[in-house]
Amino acid sequence: MKTLVIVAHPSLETSVINKRWIEELSKFPEKYTVHDLHKAYPDGKIDAEKEQRLIESHGSFVLQFPIYWFNCPPLLKKWLDDVLAYGWAYGSGGDKLKNRKAALAVSAGIKREDYREEGRYRYTLEQLLAPFETTFLYCEADYRSFFAHYGTENEPGENEPGHENEPPGSLLEKSAQNYINFIDHL
């Protein structure tokens, strides 16, 4: 079955990283369905039943978003609150996410070295994304971790030693290819 990629980026048209990831995913419509929440719900009113049916029609799903204030954008939080409902995602009869593969894809916006316990912000990206993992575990989904692009859109790349002199465009292409590889191996 296809993988559903739920994109929550408030200004996708000005994005570099998330937009490039979507361009790469769009090359393989037989494998991925890209669902842009801001395009689908510009008024913020989410059709939870429609979203639930969309998830049910796919084998696995990925939540793709930029880190906003060390969390997700507000529309994605609303989506989680509305769609992952009692009786559907959890609770009595709520088994629709049970054993369904779920993952995250995030553009971190900050260098990898800042996401360390001894780094600038004192927390790892794993720690900051723990509420998503816990949500998936609570719903008995098969959480498959996350894919991250560290650095800013003006300085794309993994910000790893040895990549400093690589042109930003090649790092962006590498990120897009690594993202596809991540999804293919969920």
Side-chain angles (χ1 to χ4, degrees):
M1 290 184 85
K2 291 171 70 170
T3 298
L4 175 63
V5 179
I6 300 165
V7 180
H9 195 302
S11 55
L12 193 55
E13 62 282 348
T14 62
S15 169
V16 173
I17 296 161
N18 281 269
K19 187 163 61 171
R20 178 63 191 96
W21 286 351
I22 291 169
E23 289 168 359
E24 194 65 27
L25 291 167
S26 297
K27 292 178 182 178
F28 307 97
E30 72 284 358
K31 293 169 62 175
Y32 316 112
T33 300
V34 177
H35 179 51
D36 180 350
L37 291 181
H38 285 85
K39 186 175 181 182
Y41 303 107
D43 60 359
K45 296 179 183 172
I46 295 171
D47 183 340
E49 290 180 8
K50 179 180 175 183
E51 295 297 305
Q52 291 167 347
R53 286 190 304 272
L54 190 59
I55 291 170
E56 290 174 24
S57 69
H58 288 79
S60 55
F61 68 100
V62 175
L63 301 179
Q64 177 185 319
F65 58 94
I67 298 292
Y68 265 47
W69 288 110
F70 305 97
N71 205 321
C72 67
L75 187 59
L76 182 55
K77 175 60 171 113
K78 181 170 177 24
W79 182 92
L80 290 164
D81 291 344
D82 293 354
V83 176
L84 305 186
Y86 179 87
W88 184 81
Y90 69 96
S92 180
D95 62 355
K96 300 299 189 243
L97 295 184
K98 188 172 185 171
N99 299 321
R100 188 177 302 274
K101 293 176 185 175
L104 304 173
V106 300
S107 52
I110 296 172
K111 293 182 178 186
R112 183 187 300 261
E113 65 196 37
D114 290 332
Y115 281 113
R116 295 180 302 147
E117 290 181 14
E118 56 282 338
R120 183 174 180 190
Y121 301 106
R122 300 185 194 165
Y123 292 94
T124 66
L125 197 51
E126 291 86 355
Q127 290 170 316
L128 293 171
L129 295 174
F132 296 94
E133 178 180 4
T134 305
T135 297
F136 291 138
L137 293 173
Y138 187 77
C139 296
E140 299 184 61
D142 182 5
Y143 179 65
R144 298 304 195 117
S145 193
F146 67 91
F147 177 82
H149 181 96
Y150 295 90
T152 66
E153 292 184 341
N154 294 328
E155 185 188 344
E158 297 301 312
N159 299 113
E160 294 177 1
H163 291 279
E164 299 88 359
N165 297 324
E166 217 170 314
S170 68
L171 292 172
L172 188 58
E173 292 307 308
K174 189 183 296 183
S175 178
Q177 293 302 313
N178 289 343
Y179 181 34
I180 293 291
N181 188 51
F182 170 79
I183 294 175
D184 286 346
H185 291 92
L186 287 181

